[in-house]
Amino acid sequence: MNRPRAAFAPPAVRVVDSFGAVVQDLGRFGYEHGGINRSGATDTFSSRFGNLAVGNVPDAPCIEITGTSFALECLDDVVLAVTGAVAEVRVDGGIRVPQWEAIDLPRGSFVEITAPVAGYRSYVAIAGGVRAQELFGSVSPLPAFQFENPMSAGAEFAVGDSQVKAPASRGIAAHAAAFVERLCSSVRLIGVLETTQTVLFEGMERLYDRAYVMSARSNAVGTRFNGDTPVRSDATELVSRGVPIGSIEIPSAGELIALLRGRLITAGYPVPAVIAKADIDFVAQLHPGEAVKFERIEEDEARRRLTRDELALRQVSLPNLSPTASRIRHCPSPIQPEKEQQQ
Amino acid sequence: MTVSAGDISVRGLHEYELEVLGESYVLLTFTTASAEDRWRHAHSVCRSVDALSYDAIISTYPAYDSVLVEFDATRIDSAGLSLLLAEIASGYSSADEEWLDQTVSYRMPVCFGLDIKPIAAELELTVDELIELQVSTPIRIRCRAAGGGLMMLNHDRVPPVARLASPEMRETFGGEFNMAGQQCSIGLSVGLSTTGWRTIGRTPVDVTTEFLKPGRNSNIGDMIVIEPIAPQAWTHHLGRPIALVGVAA
């Protein structure tokens, strides 16, 4: 999406604590013919939810935090939402505010997000979106071209013009309940759809009756798993072709790669299965050392999951019809009791 | 109705197969005997699909012989999308290939080395023979990809080079001249990457900068003329833009 470039705006937020956080939107569309891969937020349900919560277009630039804590200071009044991995979000050192809700923060507020306790990637959406440099119409990193917008400690950034409506009223977190419940579940089950290239493998049943452990060698291109994989039985050379986001590659015995949104477009290794699009967000929320199992599903079920998520996001965008609905506002009075405040 | 993977196979003027990949992708692969025909058909059909401007189609990607189509599965299912693609694939004509008339040729200096000796030995060629095969005829850019870079198909006279059975993680510097099967490429990846391709040389041209240039630049269909250079000439060519040498025949 081509975002309008606003005139100079003063910084609205300063990053206080960060380790590897970057600015993300939904990536680049329309450039793949030229070899520019999609990239974009690894968990698009969470990034879109956060943007919709604060009144942004769903693909507004937001902050993606991977596996660590994060802190920022508000240099101006801002509205933000924290989504994705389950973490503690505290304002001004004490008051805990909920995730998956729009929070009004006055200038001077200090926001801390702990390292995740469930899941792996957190998202901070700010009303207006983060102003950052673009390449081919997106702020998302392109490692192949050494491009990214890092959120380093000390960096200050302004907000853009991506807010198109008022932030959502309180209560929208209910639309993320199913997502969060699955994130907190002790059983990680990822839906996959088989392709005709299963015939190139022996022992496909292993994909479903064994657990696979996420490797620390994973990145935005793909999540690597170790485990007892199916084994390639046909070594016929395959011509490189485009492969879906969510493709499962088994390049060698014992290793399995789930290609994510940073995938480099083509592959010459067989793809025996593709992760259901709605479940890619859960792969994005895995952390190294975590175990998953795959379950074979059919197209109807995959479409049902996708539709369920899209409907949940649409609910976030709907105006709240309750006359008493309110947003969560943080009031930095020193005498406030330690519970969330609302007006 | 759900179309099972591989259900649709057409035997006719343009032979192709349609395969469902997940709930959001369909892969259209041409199976005609000629590699050249397969490539032309795939890219021409891709252009026809794009020309529809059907907003349920999220992206398309044409490669050597196939077109990957990504679609919004909340709006259309794979069966519906497959029927659409089948209609387009069956209906296009040579008039859809006029874009091939606009291709141009570039000269790409390559310093051969790296794994060329063991690869030449595997192919039962001398190093000079392998280099001669690579430079004897211009090679056409078949597709472009972030990792693969400028992806091409080698001449039939160049024997296929086996892709690594297991991809290995290694440091890449950009501009590597890689081979896998009958494919060859001028790679883009810089840094640690996992690849099954094998490397026989490298170009001093800044391929990443060339890749990102707007407008007409090493487009799909353009021809690459490989110019072998000695290591001593590396510095002379370093950072220079890829040289346009003419209109492709």
Side-chain angles (χ1 to χ4, degrees):
Chain A
M1 171 187 168
N2 291 321
R3 279 177 283 268
R5 299 294 297 175
F8 170 78
V13 176
R14 174 185 299 130
V15 178
V16 176
D17 175 35
S18 168
F19 186 75
V22 294
V23 184
Q24 290 275 23
D25 52 24
L26 294 182
R28 294 164 184 85
F29 292 83
Y31 295 97
E32 284 177 337
H33 285 211
I36 309 298
N37 52 319
R38 178 80 50 84
S39 195
T42 321
D43 169 5
T44 63
F45 179 83
S46 297
S47 68
R48 287 183 292 163
F49 193 109
N51 273 318
L52 292 168
V54 299
N56 287 346
V57 293
D59 72 336
C62 59
I63 303 169
E64 179 179 82
I65 307 152
T66 301
T68 67
S69 59
F70 184 82
L72 59 82
E73 178 186 358
C74 300
L75 303 178
D76 198 353
D77 296 348
V78 302
V79 178
L80 63 74
V82 180
T83 59
V86 177
E88 279 194 14
V89 184
R90 292 189 177 272
V91 180
D92 291 342
I95 297 176
R96 185 172 179 180
V97 296
Q99 291 180 264
W100 307 93
E101 300 279 2
I103 312 290
D104 281 335
L105 295 168
R107 190 172 84 171
S109 298
F110 180 74
V111 180
E112 294 171 278
I113 304 167
T114 65
V117 297
Y120 195 44
R121 289 181 165 89
S122 302
Y123 293 85
V124 180
I126 299 175
V130 176
R131 289 195 72 176
Q133 289 194 359
E134 293 182 1
L135 181 64
F136 291 107
S138 168
V139 300
S140 292
L142 264 187
F145 303 97
Q146 296 93 53
F147 173 82
E148 74 171 18
N149 285 290
M151 287 277 106
S152 309
E156 297 181 352
F157 54 90
V159 296
D161 296 327
S162 296
Q163 187 175 17
V164 295
K165 58 198 303 184
S169 300
R170 188 176 183 187
I172 57 169
H175 302 304
F179 184 90
V180 174
E181 183 180 342
R182 195 173 167 189
L183 210 59
C184 294
S185 168
S186 59
V187 177
R188 288 278 187 268
L189 208 53
I190 305 295
V192 301
L193 296 87
E194 286 191 350
T195 73
T196 58
Q197 292 187 343
T198 53
V199 300
L200 300 177
F201 291 87
E202 282 175 355
M204 275 303 298
E205 68 281 356
R206 292 179 210 160
L207 188 63
Y208 310 113
D209 63 21
R210 271 114 162 121
Y212 295 89
V213 177
M214 179 178 164
S215 162
R217 287 169 53 217
S218 304
N219 54 28
V221 171
T223 298
R224 291 172 179 270
F225 297 93
N226 297 318
D228 187 16
T229 65
V231 176
R232 187 158 174 199
S233 57
D234 183 335
T236 305
E237 180 77 28
L238 297 179
V239 172
S240 295
R241 71 272 184 239
V243 289
I245 293 170
S247 293
I248 287 188
E249 285 188 321
I250 305 177
S252 61
E255 187 176 35
L256 181 154
I257 304 174
L259 296 179
L260 301 180
R261 292 182 173 90
R263 89 243 204 249
L264 301 178
I265 309 176
T266 60
Y269 291 99
V271 172
V274 180
I275 296 172
K277 190 171 181 178
D279 285 13
I280 294 174
D281 298 325
F282 290 99
V283 177
Q285 290 294 350
L286 296 172
H287 58 78
E290 195 163 7
V292 300
K293 290 189 78 172
F294 296 100
E295 61 169 344
R296 179 180 173 177
I297 63 174
E298 299 298 329
E299 181 174 340
D300 286 347
E301 171 60 19
R303 295 183 72 217
R304 187 193 68 78
R305 295 182 186 189
L306 192 62
T307 304
R308 174 204 61 204
D309 284 356
E310 296 304 311
L311 286 175
L313 290 170
R314 284 186 181 265
Q315 299 276 12
V316 176
S317 303
L318 290 175
N320 193 315
L321 300 179
S322 166
T324 60
S326 62
R327 294 209 303 279
I328 297 170
R329 286 193 172 81
H330 167 67
C331 302
S333 167
I335 64 171
Q336 296 303 320
E338 186 154 299
K339 63 178 180 181
E340 53 193 37
Q341 299 293 305
Q342 58 180 338
Q343 291 183 345
Chain B
M1 177 182 82
T2 300
V3 177
S4 300
D7 269 2
I8 298 180
S9 174
V10 174
R11 296 290 167 187
L13 183 62
H14 305 301
E15 299 179 357
Y16 61 88
E17 289 180 351
L18 281 159
E19 182 181 0
V20 176
L21 300 176
E23 83 291 316
S24 300
Y25 292 86
V26 171
L27 184 72
L28 168 65
T29 305
F30 283 91
T31 56
T32 34
S34 159
E36 198 65 29
D37 284 349
R38 295 196 295 269
W39 175 75
R40 283 179 16 246
H41 296 339
H43 283 258
S44 299
V45 163
C46 187
R47 285 168 179 254
S48 297
V49 172
D50 291 343
L52 287 177
S53 296
Y54 178 28
D55 56 2
I57 290 178
I58 297 171
S59 73
T60 58
Y61 184 77
Y64 287 93
D65 56 8
S66 62
V67 183
L68 181 70
V69 181
E70 179 188 8
F71 57 96
D72 183 350
T74 65
R75 297 181 55 188
I76 186 171
D77 65 4
S78 63
L81 203 282
S82 296
L83 287 171
L84 174 71
L85 293 178
E87 193 168 318
I88 293 174
S90 303
Y92 94 107
S93 71
S94 58
D96 299 318
E97 298 178 1
E98 288 177 351
W99 61 279
L100 277 169
D101 298 335
Q102 301 164 13
T103 57
V104 299
S105 291
Y106 298 93
R107 180 177 294 118
M108 181 80 73
V110 171
C111 184
F112 286 95
L114 296 161
D115 292 339
I116 195 170
K117 278 186 185 171
I119 290 173
E122 281 175 29
L123 301 178
E124 298 180 347
L125 299 168
T126 66
V127 169
D128 287 342
E129 285 171 341
L130 180 53
I131 293 175
E132 177 56 32
L133 284 173
Q134 290 299 151
V135 308
S136 58
T137 312
I139 319 173
R140 192 185 293 279
I141 298 171
R142 305 289 173 163
C143 54
R144 290 167 46 129
L150 305 176
M151 301 180 75
M152 301 168 278
L153 208 56
N154 237 326
H155 326 291
D156 289 343
R157 289 181 294 119
V158 179
V161 174
R163 191 187 295 260
L164 292 175
S166 302
E168 60 182 27
M169 190 174 275
R170 63 172 189 251
E171 197 74 30
T172 54
F173 304 95
E176 279 92 351
F177 186 54
N178 300 311
M179 301 176 77
Q182 207 64 43
Q183 301 171 233
C184 58
S185 76
I186 303 287
L188 268 186
S189 291
V190 175
L192 212 54
S193 65
T194 303
T195 176
W197 292 61
R198 301 168 72 187
T199 306
I200 64 168
R202 189 171 166 229
T203 178
V205 168
D206 183 349
V207 185
T208 301
T209 299
E210 294 293 318
F211 205 86
L212 296 178
K213 271 186 188 171
R216 178 123 199 91
N217 104 81
S218 49
N219 285 5
I220 293 169
D222 288 345
M223 304 295 286
I224 297 288
V225 179
I226 302 288
E227 176 193 355
I229 61 170
Q232 298 87 326
W234 181 272
T235 309
H236 170 74
H237 292 278
L238 190 61
R240 290 194 176 201
I242 187 172
L244 181 66
V245 295
V247 176

